Amino acid sequence: MFDYETMRVIWWVITGAVVTGFVLTVGFDFGIGALLPFVGRNDVERRVVINTIGPTWDGNQVWLILLGGAIFAVWPAVYATLFSGLYIAMLLVLYTLFFRPVGFDYRSKLASPTWRNAWDWGLFIGGAVPPVLMGVLVGNLLVGLPFHLDGNLRTFYDGSFFGLLTPFPLLCGVIGVLACVFHGAVYLSCRTEGAIEQRARRIALIGGLVLVVLIVLAAAWVILGIPRPEIVTAAGPGAPSNPMAKTVDFSGSWLANFLAHPRMFVAPALAVLGVPAAAVLAGSGRAVAAFAASSVGIGGLLWTVGFGLFPFLLISTTDPRSSLTIWDASASHLNLQWSLAITLVFLPIVLLYTQWAYRVIWGKVTEADIAKGDHTLY
């Protein structure tokens, strides 16, 4: 099919596409959950908010399963390092995600205001905490993680959970949750009307402008204050996976990939232009165009991080040579070929189903809908 080097690049692109799909779909779910106690001022309004994502939130989380499966099958060394070293952080994400299915299904089982308010805050936790932790993870991908490999390529994590919470990753955590809130507010302005839509538009306008400032601040911090690893010697992009067959130092520049391939500057340009455009469009009531711009802007931000890191997947601060790249952390050539064949069959099905589902449910959710569907809606 393709040679080993090409297969690795293809899977790097597919992994990035799955990450993008996850963030753009689950992202507005998270954002709406985080906004729920604030944008809905009474029970009916909160039910309107919940029902904008009620038919699709569980389907959107399929992207998370796809991402985990892709990393497990294609980048096993990355999977082993992340899921063992960041065990506490992963469990916190998982535990806070538990609030979502239970909150959606049980919130309206009782008419008690205390009961419903408690579940509203549960949905807030399930919407606000995961993007913070995921943003912290992205920050640590850029700063580097304290791990090393031994002679048998076994992973040893040398840090702690609180060691992840340094200033730059925390800034990325704030950007993560703010991006989701912004994206969620834009989506909410597409699917609601009246007072809820007006509140969502204001949040999108203010949140988007603040988000741009934080993105620019984070970019300047990365370029000026965070050293980037550089591969000095390596076995080659088509060699069998062995992270220890290279030497690495921290003499690189985060702009190196962009300067070598100027077309990569499209990604940061989309991020810097897409987010404020979405904020302005949302503020002026052009909700659908705002959602498209928001998706483009957040997608550009994700691909900016990916282009800057390439070819690194995980950077080791303990032993730079143990850093994992797409050239030395992948599964075998045969595994990549079979995984690609399976993906080419099933990923289009997922995309087609997702497109169909959103086309069917698209439209405004109103208080009248809630009154008419009291026993069928959340």
Side-chain angles (χ1 to χ4, degrees):
M1 187 182 289
F2 298 103
D3 61 38
Y4 204 3
E5 178 183 354
T6 304
M7 288 298 300
R8 284 164 161 162
V9 174
I10 289 172
W11 268 106
W12 178 80
V13 173
I14 292 175
T15 303
V18 173
V19 171
T20 305
F22 166 68
V23 173
L24 293 184
T25 56
V26 179
F28 66 74
D29 286 348
F30 284 155
I32 290 174
L35 287 171
L36 178 62
F38 311 104
V39 77
R41 301 294 173 81
N42 55 54
D43 181 64
V44 174
E45 288 186 351
R46 291 182 180 182
R47 291 187 65 192
V48 169
V49 172
I50 290 172
N51 278 279
T52 60
I53 57 173
T56 56
W57 70 268
D58 48 354
N60 289 342
Q61 293 195 159
V62 170
W63 288 102
L64 179 59
I65 299 170
L66 287 175
L67 179 59
I71 295 174
F72 175 79
V74 178
W75 314 108
V78 175
Y79 184 92
T81 303
L82 282 180
F83 283 77
S84 59
L86 306 184
Y87 197 67
I88 295 177
M90 295 291 184
L91 283 179
L92 281 175
V93 171
L94 184 62
Y95 290 157
T96 52
L97 286 176
F98 288 165
F99 284 100
R100 290 166 55 77
V102 181
F104 281 118
D105 287 339
Y106 282 88
R107 180 194 182 277
S108 295
K109 297 297 184 183
L110 297 178
S112 166
T114 302
W115 170 271
R116 294 188 174 187
N117 189 59
W119 284 117
D120 289 341
W121 285 104
L123 290 170
F124 166 81
I125 293 171
V129 176
V132 171
L133 295 174
M134 292 174 185
V136 168
L137 171 61
V138 172
N140 278 285
L141 293 182
L142 294 168
V143 172
L145 292 166
F147 71 93
H148 71 276
L149 306 176
D150 67 3
N152 295 317
L153 301 184
R154 294 180 300 177
T155 298
F156 293 87
Y157 188 71
D158 305 312
S160 64
F161 170 73
F162 291 103
L164 301 173
L165 307 179
T166 53
F168 178 75
L170 288 174
L171 172 62
C172 291
V174 174
I175 292 174
V177 69
L178 183 57
C180 288
V181 167
F182 166 68
H183 198 45
V186 174
Y187 183 80
L188 203 57
S189 68
C190 293
R191 300 293 313 280
T192 59
E193 61 183 22
I196 300 175
E197 180 186 2
Q198 294 301 317
R199 294 177 200 132
R201 285 169 54 182
R202 286 196 297 270
I203 292 170
L205 177 60
I206 298 171
L209 298 178
V210 174
L211 181 59
V212 172
V213 173
L214 294 182
I215 290 173
V216 172
L217 173 62
W221 194 332
V222 170
I223 294 170
L224 301 176
I226 297 177
R228 185 191 188 278
E230 184 75 22
I231 298 174
V232 180
T233 62
S241 291
N242 181 5
M244 304 303 286
K246 67 177 182 296
T247 56
V248 177
D249 64 25
F250 280 89
S251 62
S253 167
W254 288 102
L255 294 176
N257 288 340
F258 295 93
L259 295 175
H261 306 280
R263 285 176 291 184
M264 288 184 176
F265 279 109
V266 171
L270 291 177
V272 174
L273 297 176
V275 173
V280 173
L281 288 169
S284 62
R286 300 174 63 184
V288 175
F291 186 71
S294 173
S295 299
V296 168
I298 293 174
L301 176 61
L302 294 172
W303 282 95
T304 299
V305 174
F307 288 152
L309 280 170
F310 186 88
F312 289 93
L313 298 171
L314 292 181
I315 297 170
S316 170
T317 55
T318 304
D319 176 21
R321 187 175 63 154
S322 297
S323 299
L324 303 178
T325 73
I326 72 168
W327 312 127
D328 56 31
S330 72
S332 69
H333 190 193
L334 181 62
N335 186 308
L336 299 187
Q337 288 178 323
W338 275 103
S339 298
L340 179 60
I342 294 169
T343 300
L344 291 177
V345 173
F346 289 103
L347 185 57
I349 296 174
V350 173
L351 294 174
L352 287 172
Y353 173 78
T354 301
Q355 186 271 339
W356 173 83
Y358 276 95
R359 186 180 63 186
V360 169
I361 63 95
W362 194 257
K364 299 284 188 177
V365 180
T366 67
E367 295 185 11
D369 294 329
I370 299 299
K372 288 188 296 184
D374 190 58
H375 296 289
T376 57
L377 299 179
Y378 286 104

